[in-house]
Amino acid sequence: MKRNNIAQIIFEIISVLGNIIIGTTILTFIFRDETINKTFISFIILSIGAIEIVGFLALKDSAKIKNILNLVSNLALMALGIILFILNIKLDELCLIWGIVYLVLYSIKVTNYALRIPYQPLLCSIKIILSIILIIYSIILIVKRSLVIEASLTYIGVSLLIEAFILFIEFLIHRYQK
């Protein structure tokens, strides 16, 4: 096995585990009725961007070139997480900014996933569906703001767990196909 292939496997495993950890953290936080604040939301946004970048690193070189747009949107997610953490804003304002940025970035991601369907049909199809639903939640978040924050975070947690499951299936397919 090549050294590059080992690094790719490690990044794939980190991506799966990262999605599971972030999704479980969100759901645990919500189901324990903890207070949702800007620090938690900023951390989640930053973590999602970081784990998506790890997923980018897990791709083969030819797929990375086709996935540059996704990398840029994930870097923007990480920047959003840092900016929201630094800014001194109220939760309603945070929800407005978060919703608008997610609406734009996930629209870009849907386009990118649609272009990549021939290369990864299972993963991209699921990500398109999850992203479209997240776009809908972003619109609702823009309109209703902090009233729907728990529902939005719950969806993000569940979608991360679904994505982790699909990534694990893709991992098994790539490792055991001839």
Side-chain angles (χ1 to χ4, degrees):
M1 203 179 282
K2 293 181 183 176
R3 185 175 186 83
N4 190 19
N5 204 11
I6 292 172
Q8 183 180 356
I9 290 171
I10 291 171
F11 286 137
E12 287 180 25
I13 291 170
I14 291 172
S15 182
V16 170
L17 292 177
N19 278 325
I20 291 170
I21 290 168
I22 297 167
T24 305
T25 301
I26 292 170
L27 295 176
T28 302
F29 199 83
I30 289 173
F31 291 132
R32 292 191 65 187
D33 288 329
E34 298 289 331
T35 305
I36 297 171
N37 57 23
K38 82 176 190 82
T39 305
F40 178 72
I41 293 170
S42 302
F43 172 73
I44 293 301
I45 293 170
L46 180 65
S47 300
I48 291 171
I51 210 65
E52 288 284 330
I53 289 175
V54 170
F56 171 80
L57 295 173
L59 296 173
K60 293 181 180 177
D61 291 336
S62 61
K64 282 184 184 178
I65 294 168
K66 296 174 181 80
N67 207 14
I68 293 294
L69 189 59
N70 207 12
L71 174 67
V72 171
S73 63
N74 290 324
L75 289 171
L77 271 179
M78 289 183 67
L80 173 67
I82 293 169
I83 290 169
L84 291 178
F85 185 75
I86 293 171
L87 289 178
N88 187 17
I89 56 176
K90 295 179 182 172
L91 197 58
D92 278 345
E93 295 165 344
L94 180 133
C95 290
L96 178 65
I97 295 168
W98 178 27
I100 292 169
V101 172
Y102 258 47
L103 181 66
V104 171
L105 291 180
Y106 278 88
S107 297
I108 293 169
K109 285 180 178 258
V110 166
T111 305
N112 190 46
Y113 297 140
L115 295 172
R116 287 186 23 231
I117 279 185
Y119 308 104
Q120 291 179 303
L122 175 65
L123 180 64
C124 288
S125 299
I126 297 297
K127 283 191 168 198
I128 286 172
I129 293 167
L130 294 175
S131 295
I132 289 172
I133 296 171
L134 188 58
I135 289 170
I136 294 168
Y137 270 101
S138 296
I139 293 169
I140 295 170
L141 190 63
I142 291 168
V143 174
K144 298 281 186 173
R145 306 225 176 121
S146 62
L147 298 175
V148 295
I149 199 164
E150 282 188 16
S152 297
L153 284 172
T154 302
Y155 173 73
I156 290 171
V158 170
S159 70
L160 286 170
L161 293 175
I162 291 170
E163 187 175 329
F165 179 71
I166 298 302
L167 285 171
F168 181 70
I169 290 172
E170 288 268 329
F171 175 77
L172 292 176
I173 290 170
H174 292 144
R175 295 299 148 243
Y176 296 109
Q177 79 183 144
K178 294 183 181 185

